Amino acid sequence: MTEQEFGPLLRPYTLTRGRTRPTGPEFDMMMIIRAASSAYDRTAGLAPEHLRILNLCQSPASVADIAGELNLSLNVVRILLSDLRDQSLITARPPATVAQLPQEHILREVIQGLQAL
């Protein structure tokens, strides 16, 4: 095999330093990631991909969106995210579900209250 043929396999291997699994709990592909407020004070020594993730996560982004933006596999992104989580540089939460959203009547009351102002 030539070096060009190894390229697609070598890059993910080097990005993850040979690791095949993230540390800690698994990141669901729809989990919402956000950079911690203090993340930008502690970026020394981070790889360019970690920095790109932090930049993408200035506003909430799903794991799937991050993988798409970086053009990396979900598994590689999960490993990179676990690096950032281990350093407390990101927060992760599950996406909102319908049960967590306010009920329609509450939203109508809020709208009516705002209109009364």
Side-chain angles (χ1 to χ4, degrees), residues 33-84:
I33 309 298
R34 183 165 186 129
S37 57
S38 63
Y40 300 99
D41 299 333
R42 301 179 286 136
T43 59
L46 290 179
E49 289 75 18
H50 290 112
L51 293 172
R52 286 190 62 205
I53 290 172
L54 288 177
N55 285 332
L56 286 171
C57 295
Q58 288 179 9
S59 57
S62 72
V63 174
D65 289 337
I66 295 166
E69 283 290 324
L70 296 178
N71 200 25
L72 293 172
S73 74
L74 279 171
N75 196 51
V76 169
V77 169
R78 286 175 173 141
I79 293 168
L80 296 175
L81 287 171
S82 73
D83 294 343
L84 295 171

